[in-house]
Amino acid sequence: MQDFAAIDFETANNERSSVCSVGVVIVRGGEIVDKFYSLIKPDNYRCCQVHGLCAEDTENAPVFPKVWKQIEPLIEGLPLVAHNKAFDESCLKAVF
C-alpha cells in the first residue's frame, strides 16, 4: 500500500470517548507527505501515567469536533490504518 493515513489516539481515562490527543501521518507514493498532531480537551481526566498528558496539558485544547475538521480533509479518500487498530478504531467510533 503506497497511499494511506495512519492515526493514533491517546485517551484521558479508560473510556474510549475520552480522546486527549491525536496524531495523523499522511503517506502518498510510499513517502510521508504530511503530519498532524493536536491535543484534545476531553470530558474528564484520570490518566497521566500512561502517556504523560494531564488535564493542564489539554485545558486550552480544542474539542474533538474542531480537531476532526482539520483532519478530515487530510485523510479524504485514503485508507485509514493504525498500529493498534482495535483501540484506535474504538476511540474514533466512540468520540463520534
Side-chain angles (χ1 to χ4, degrees):
M1 184 180 341
Q2 294 288 310
D3 299 336
F4 62 90
I7 194 164
D8 182 52
F9 287 104
E10 299 297 340
T11 56
N13 56 50
N14 51 357
E15 296 296 323
R16 297 297 190 251
S17 62
S18 71
V19 295
C20 61
S21 75
V22 62
V24 179
V25 173
I26 306 300
V27 176
R28 294 191 186 274
E31 301 286 326
I32 295 173
V33 297
D34 206 353
K35 297 177 185 176
F36 176 86
Y37 175 79
S38 181
L39 294 172
I40 299 169
K41 187 172 186 165
D43 289 337
N44 61 43
Y45 233 101
R46 282 188 230 138
C47 180
C48 295
Q49 310 87 297
V50 175
H51 44 61
L53 295 172
C54 298
E56 53 272 4
D57 297 313
T58 60
E59 186 176 327
N60 296 315
V63 293
F64 183 78
K66 289 185 179 186
V67 173
W68 187 252
K69 284 182 181 181
Q70 296 174 54
I71 293 172
E72 194 170 27
L74 295 174
I75 67 172
E76 187 174 350
L78 293 172
L80 195 56
V81 301
H83 171 71
N84 186 353
K85 179 186 177 289
F87 174 78
D88 292 301
E89 184 175 45
S90 67
C91 289
L92 192 55
K93 287 179 179 177
V95 80
F96 274 107

